[in-house]
Amino acid sequence: MQQQLMESFVANFGEGGEIYTFFAPGRVNLIGEHTDYNGGHVFPCALTIGTYGIVRKRKDRKLRFYSQNFDKFGVMETSLDDLVYRKEENWINYPKAVIWAFKEHGYEVTEGFDFACVGTIPNGSGLSSSASLEVLTSKILIDLYGFQEVDMVKAALYSQYAENKFVGVNCGIMDQFAIAMGKKDHAIYLDTATLEYQYAPVELDGAKIVIMNTNKKRGLGESKYNERRQECETALAEIQKVKDIKALGELTEEEFEAIKEEIKDPIRVRRAKHAVYENQRTVKAVEALKNHDLTLFGQLMNESHISLRDDYEVTGKELDALVEAAWKQEGVVGARMTGAGFGGRAVSIVKADQIDAFVKNVGKEYEEKIGYQADFYVVEIGSGPVCFAK
Ligand code: GLA
C-alpha cells in the first residue's frame, strides 16, 4: 500500500527533498448515535484501516494534491492564497478546510506542500473517510510546520471546525475525536458536553467486530443530517421554556417522559426521545462492557438500532435489511447501524467461529431483498494518527 503510494507520489511530484508518510485511522461507533450534537455520550473506536498520506513541503505557496481513490481527478493544484470552498475541487476541500481552520485559530501555514494519499476505507460509507482525511491533515500540519501546541484534542476540534464552517456539514465532534484520540484495542467513552473521556478496553470474549456495508451511497444524507440536528435544537428550545438545561443529553428517561409534552410536534418528540434514550443506553452499555456483560451490551446495540429506525428515522431499507438479517444469525452478540445512517454501514459483534456463516447468510438475505450485494469486513481497533517514516 505505502510502496505503491510512494510510487505515485514520485510519479506525480518527482523525487528528492524530505518526504514523510502519515496515517490516520477510520472509526466505527459501537453505540451512542446522533448524541454528539445533543451533549450526550458516544462510544467509538479508531480502526487499523484509514488514510495514508505522503507529503513534502514546498518553498512556494502552492498546494498540490493527488488521491489514488480519486485518480480521475489527477493532480489538483491550488494555493495558500485560495483557501475557499469550491464544489468542483471535490475531496481537496477537506485538506484545504483544515489548513484554513488552523489559520483561523492562529496557526498559519506559509509554505505549501505536495500531497498524495490513499484511503483503505471506501469514501461516503460511514467509517468517516472525511474525518480521517481531516485529522490526517491536522497531524501533517502539526508535525511539519511545528504547531506542537496543537494537541490531538485541539486537532479534533479544528478538524470539526473545518467541516462545519468550510465544508458546511454540521457534524458533531465524535468522528474527529475518535480518530485523533484512538487507542489500540480500546473504545473511547466520550462525554460530548465536556469532552471528558475514558478509554475502555474492548474485550469481546472470542467475538469480533464485523462491519457490514450496504453499498448504498448516502446521497441526501447530509441535508437530512442537518435537518435532524435542527429538529433536536427546536425540541431543546421548547423544553428550555420550562426547564433549565443546556442539552438533551442532560435528561434521564424519566425526566424526559415528565416534560415531553412541552414539545409541540409528535415527530420532534420522537427525535428528542431518541437523543435522550440513546445517551442513557450508551452509559449503560459502557457499564455492561466493564462488567463483561456482553449479552447486555449486544441488547443495547439492538435497541439503539430500533430507536434509530423508528424514532430517529435515519436507517432506511438497506440498513434495516442488513441489521434485521444479522439479528437472526447464530453467534451474533448485537448489530446496529453506525455513523450518520441513510445508507452507509452497520456494525455487528459476532462470535469468531460463526463469522463465515454470518457473512454468507446475511449477504444472501440482503441481496434477495435489496437486489445488490453487501460487503463485510472484520476490523481491528487501532491507534490514532502517526507519522511513521521519513
Ligand atoms: C456523523 C457525524 C457525527 C455523528 C454521527 C451520528 O458521523 O459526523 O458527528 O453525529 O454522524 O452519530
Side-chain angles (χ1 to χ4, degrees):
M1 181 68 66
Q2 284 150 257
Q3 188 49 37
Q4 224 191 342
L5 185 61
M6 187 59 87
E7 283 162 20
S8 1
F9 181 90
V10 170
N12 284 302
F13 303 122
E15 286 185 45
E18 290 192 12
I19 299 177
Y20 297 86
T21 304
F22 288 82
F23 170 78
R27 68 94 185 93
V28 65
N29 188 23
L30 298 179
I31 193 162
E33 216 65 80
H34 289 278
T35 50
D36 66 344
Y37 50 85
N38 285 307
H41 293 81
V42 291
F43 196 50
C45 42
L47 299 175
T48 53
I49 51 175
T51 317
Y52 292 84
I54 296 186
V55 65
R56 178 177 57 209
K57 266 168 97 169
R58 302 178 55 93
K59 295 262 178 292
D60 57 17
R61 292 179 63 82
K62 271 187 201 164
L63 296 163
R64 295 196 295 174
F65 296 98
Y66 169 78
S67 166
Q68 282 189 356
N69 303 76
F70 293 95
D71 189 50
K72 61 176 183 205
F73 291 114
V75 172
M76 288 198 272
E77 188 175 313
T78 180
S79 112
L80 291 168
D81 303 308
D82 188 35
L83 297 176
V84 287
Y85 183 85
R86 290 186 199 288
K87 193 165 189 289
E88 68 280 9
E89 288 187 336
N90 198 281
W91 71 273
I92 78 164
N93 281 301
Y94 291 98
K96 277 174 63 173
V98 173
I99 300 169
W100 171 84
F102 268 63
K103 185 175 169 194
E104 290 289 297
H105 288 88
Y107 299 98
E108 186 172 356
V109 171
T110 54
E111 291 173 332
F113 56 73
D114 293 333
F115 174 77
C117 68
V118 62
T120 49
I121 22 176
N123 41 292
S125 51
L127 298 185
S128 245
S129 52
S130 49
S132 177
L133 181 57
E134 288 158 6
V135 175
L136 180 78
T137 311
S138 294
K139 175 76 177 155
I140 289 172
L141 299 189
I142 293 167
D143 286 7
L144 245 56
Y145 294 87
F147 301 143
Q148 304 300 340
E149 291 154 41
V150 180
D151 60 24
M152 289 319 285
V153 172
K154 279 191 192 150
L157 288 165
Y158 296 175
S159 299
Q160 182 202 15
Y161 186 86
E163 180 133 1
N164 291 168
K165 306 281 186 214
F166 190 99
V167 182
V169 177
N170 242 339
C171 65
I173 188 62
M174 170 170 76
D175 302 344
Q176 291 81 4
F177 199 97
I179 289 167
M181 300 299 288
K183 181 171 171 179
K184 189 175 165 21
D185 297 330
H186 289 70
I188 308 174
Y189 181 41
L190 171 68
D191 180 346
T192 61
T194 59
L195 292 193
E196 277 169 28
Y197 65 95
Q198 283 168 26
Y199 289 111
V202 178
E203 287 157 359
L204 297 178
D205 191 21
K208 298 233 170 227
I209 300 174
V210 182
I211 306 288
M212 309 184 273
N213 187 353
T214 59
N215 283 324
K216 177 183 186 240
K217 291 278 189 252
R218 239 185 279 157
L220 274 181
E222 278 157 14
S223 57
K224 288 266 182 213
Y225 181 90
N226 286 349
E227 183 185 294
R228 289 294 176 279
R229 218 184 146 140
Q230 186 56 52
E231 288 166 339
C232 286
E233 276 162 22
T234 308
L236 173 65
E238 289 169 295
I239 292 176
Q240 281 170 332
K241 287 187 187 146
V242 295
K243 195 171 171 75
D244 183 21
I245 55 165
K246 290 196 184 59
L248 293 173
E250 287 174 33
L251 298 174
T252 62
E253 294 102 327
E254 295 74 28
E255 284 168 335
F256 176 75
E257 293 302 331
I259 209 166
K260 68 180 182 196
E261 61 275 10
E262 294 304 323
I263 304 171
K264 299 303 174 210
D265 174 89
I267 293 180
R268 277 203 300 278
V269 174
R270 288 194 279 122
R271 306 297 192 242
K273 179 180 176 203
H274 169 77
V276 171
Y277 279 65
E278 179 74 355
N279 178 44
Q280 297 297 333
R281 256 192 299 276
T282 306
V283 176
K284 287 175 199 152
V286 175
E287 197 54 37
L289 195 64
K290 260 190 214 151
N291 297 331
H292 302 282
D293 188 347
L294 214 53
T295 307
L296 178 57
F297 188 84
Q299 271 167 20
L300 292 161
M301 285 178 76
N302 298 349
E303 284 171 24
S304 165
H305 185 85
I306 293 168
S307 176
L308 289 155
R309 182 189 68 191
D310 298 345
D311 286 335
Y312 219 61
E313 295 184 282
V314 293
T315 55
K317 66 178 191 313
E318 296 81 5
L319 280 167
D320 289 339
L322 271 184
V323 170
E324 286 161 19
W327 287 340
K328 291 189 232 156
Q329 307 306 315
E330 294 279 317
V332 174
V333 175
R336 55 182 289 279
M337 60 150 268
T338 185
F342 317 103
R345 313 247 178 140
V347 55
S348 48
I349 298 179
V350 187
K351 296 279 176 207
D353 54 0
Q354 313 265 14
I355 292 176
D356 288 347
F358 172 87
V359 169
K360 189 165 156 265
N361 297 341
V362 176
K364 183 163 176 280
E365 192 169 324
Y366 183 78
E367 196 176 350
E368 276 166 13
K369 229 185 217 161
I370 301 299
Y372 51 84
Q373 285 181 349
D375 285 324
F376 298 84
Y377 326 86
V378 178
V379 292
E380 305 291 335
I381 302 179
S383 321
V386 278
C387 172
F388 55 88
K390 239 186 156 177

